[in-house]
């Protein structure tokens, strides 16, 4: 930030970002952030033609010279995100130009979560908020910023669904979206559980490059906590409306975690609890379906 005016100005600008809290039916609290710089992500064109027509902004040769990186092993580089949501916001890119697919990289996500233990790692699938689905990357933001973390600690919305080889699986209720959470201190068991869930979900979306999902992961009290949000829709109906009915929100991991980003002030001013509930319920797997997913994946 000392040498990159764009990043420095945008992080300073976070101090002036408007926020509000909206309570949903059942008590879940959502933060709504008006952040105009995030229009690049919310309105990103991610169809194949648009991607082919632009240079990949995550490849080293196309990144700004001021965007210095820190190596993580041989495969990843940790970068500052110049269009932040969090007080500290990182983008962690694969050093090769390879597709956004979580299965081959989930083990690395856990390794990063342990190393960057003051951050929450997150992954957006290619049709679940990733603005660069052609180049594999994670992001990371300041731990504690997303309400889902405290919601999990409180136990208000979670129910222990199963235990497998020392790892715990939780389902969520009254959350307006289906969530499956893994918690455990053995990374290999967490990897195995995630891979089983991934296979189970992919069987229902065989035409997709991978099942639609968002993933949050962090390391806390010597355990990994992984929240998986299975998705059924990329963008909600309100995204495609016109005039007053339009709300320009393209939900990704941070929204799933309880911080909805509105790049337009008019959307920030008018969005309601009903709007937020509709968006979550439209784009996410239903809670009762996640119960079935946990039961069936454990039998695989």
């Amino acid at each position: 930030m000392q040498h990159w005016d764009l990043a420095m100005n945008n992080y300073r600008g976070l101090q002036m970002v408007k926020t509000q809290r909206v309570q949903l039916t059942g008590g879940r609290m959502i933060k709504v952030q008006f952040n105009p710089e995030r229009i690049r992500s919310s309105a990103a064109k991610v169809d194949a033609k648009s991607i082919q027509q632009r240079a990949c902004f995550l490849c080293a040769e196309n990144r700004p010279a001021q965007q210095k990186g820190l190596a993580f092993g041989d495969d990843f580089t940790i970068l500052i995100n110049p269009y932040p949501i969090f007080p500290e916001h990182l983008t962690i890119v694969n050093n090769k130009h390879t597709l956004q697919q979580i299965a081959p990289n989930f083990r690395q996500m856990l390794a990063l979560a342990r190393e960057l233990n003051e951050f929450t790692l997150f992954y957006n699938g290619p049709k679940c908020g990733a603005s660069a689905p052609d180049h594999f990357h994670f992001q990371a933001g300041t731990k504690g910023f997303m309400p889902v973390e405290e919601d999990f600690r409180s136990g208000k919305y979670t129910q222990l669904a199963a235990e497998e080889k020392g790892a715990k699986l939780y389902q969520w209720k009254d959350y307006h979206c289906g969530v499956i959470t893994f918690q455990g201190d053995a990374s290999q068991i967490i990897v195995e559980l995630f891979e089983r869930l991934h296979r189970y979900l992919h069987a229902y979306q065989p035409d997709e490059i991978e099942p639609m999902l968002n993933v949050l992961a962090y390391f806390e009290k010597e355990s990994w906590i992984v929240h998986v949000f299975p998705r059924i829709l990329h963008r909600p109906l309100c995204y495609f409306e016109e005039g007053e009915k339009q709300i320009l929100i393209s939900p990704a991991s941070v929204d799933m975690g309880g911080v909805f980003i509105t790049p337009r002030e008019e959307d920030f001013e008018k969005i309601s609890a009903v709007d937020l509930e509709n968006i979550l319920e439209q784009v996410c797997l239903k809670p009762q379906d996640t119960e079935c997913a946990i039961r069936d994946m454990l039998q695989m």
Side-chain angles (χ1 to χ4, degrees):
M1 288 171 63
Q2 294 175 2
H3 304 286
W4 194 6
D5 289 344
L6 172 68
M8 183 169 61
N9 291 335
N10 285 341
Y11 278 87
R12 285 176 176 171
L14 281 180
Q15 300 173 17
M16 296 179 286
V17 162
K18 292 183 180 180
T19 60
Q20 60 174 314
R21 294 168 66 86
V22 180
Q23 188 174 40
L24 307 188
T25 307
R28 182 183 182 184
M29 193 67 70
I30 297 289
K31 296 180 186 177
V32 182
Q33 182 187 100
F34 166 50
N35 189 335
E37 293 299 330
R38 297 298 298 181
I39 191 70
R40 292 167 178 80
S41 179
S42 297
K45 294 182 178 180
V46 293
D47 60 283
K49 183 178 179 182
S50 297
I51 289 170
Q52 289 174 358
Q53 291 176 343
R54 58 104 169 113
C56 176
F57 55 85
L58 295 182
C59 283
E61 60 270 24
N62 300 324
R63 297 198 297 258
Q66 302 95 323
Q67 193 175 23
K68 305 298 182 183
L70 179 67
F72 183 81
D74 296 328
D75 298 327
F76 288 90
T77 299
I78 302 171
L79 306 167
I80 190 172
N81 189 315
Y83 301 105
I85 296 170
F86 302 81
E88 294 178 310
H89 192 161
L90 307 174
T91 301
I92 303 161
V93 302
N94 196 293
N95 293 330
K96 296 179 181 178
H97 185 76
T98 184
L99 291 176
Q100 186 80 336
Q101 289 182 278
I102 185 63
N105 296 285
F106 180 72
R107 191 181 300 274
Q108 286 280 43
M109 187 178 197
L110 297 184
L112 281 158
R114 181 163 190 165
E115 188 74 18
L116 300 173
N117 55 27
E118 295 180 1
F119 291 83
T120 295
L121 272 287
F122 56 101
Y123 169 81
N124 295 324
K127 290 186 178 180
C128 301
S131 54
D134 55 328
H135 192 129
F136 186 84
H137 64 287
F138 299 113
Q139 294 182 68
T142 314
K143 187 184 284 185
F145 186 83
M146 288 182 281
V148 68
E149 298 169 42
E150 181 55 37
D151 290 342
F152 179 71
R153 292 186 200 102
S154 75
K156 180 179 179 180
Y157 303 100
T158 58
Q159 178 181 339
L160 182 64
E163 292 193 50
E164 181 84 359
K165 299 179 181 178
K168 296 179 179 179
L169 289 81
Y170 295 89
Q171 59 196 39
W172 292 60
K173 58 184 178 181
D174 298 326
Y175 219 59
H176 298 279
C177 62
V179 192
I180 297 171
T181 296
F182 305 131
Q183 182 182 30
D185 58 6
S187 62
Q188 181 58 36
I189 305 304
I190 302 293
V191 170
E192 290 175 7
L193 289 170
F194 179 81
E195 289 176 345
R196 286 159 73 178
L197 177 61
H198 188 279
R199 291 196 301 272
Y200 173 84
L201 294 173
H202 206 184
Y204 287 91
Q205 296 176 341
D207 295 332
E208 302 290 348
I209 190 171
E210 70 172 10
M212 297 174 67
L213 44 72
N214 298 106
V215 184
L216 305 175
Y218 49 97
F219 192 73
E220 188 170 270
K221 296 181 179 179
E222 300 304 313
S223 290
W224 283 274
I225 299 168
V226 178
H227 305 300
V228 182
F229 298 81
R231 296 279 297 270
I232 57 174
L233 194 65
H234 181 192
R235 286 166 170 162
L237 300 179
C238 63
Y239 185 94
F240 303 100
E241 293 281 7
E242 297 180 355
E244 285 294 315
K245 292 183 178 181
Q246 186 184 51
I247 301 177
L248 198 69
I249 285 181
S250 184
S253 292
V254 177
D255 306 82
M256 297 296 105
V259 182
F260 271 71
I261 309 302
T262 55
R264 303 191 312 183
E265 189 167 20
E266 61 264 35
D267 296 332
F268 175 81
E269 297 291 346
K270 72 185 179 186
I271 200 164
S272 68
V274 172
D275 294 324
L276 294 167
E277 291 171 9
N278 285 338
I279 290 169
L280 286 168
E281 290 166 7
Q282 286 174 25
V283 304
C284 294
L285 199 67
K286 291 180 172 56
Q288 57 265 37
D289 292 331
T290 60
E291 293 181 33
C292 296
I294 292 172
R295 183 189 65 237
D296 293 347
M297 63 167 273
L298 290 176
Q299 297 175 357
M300 295 175 67

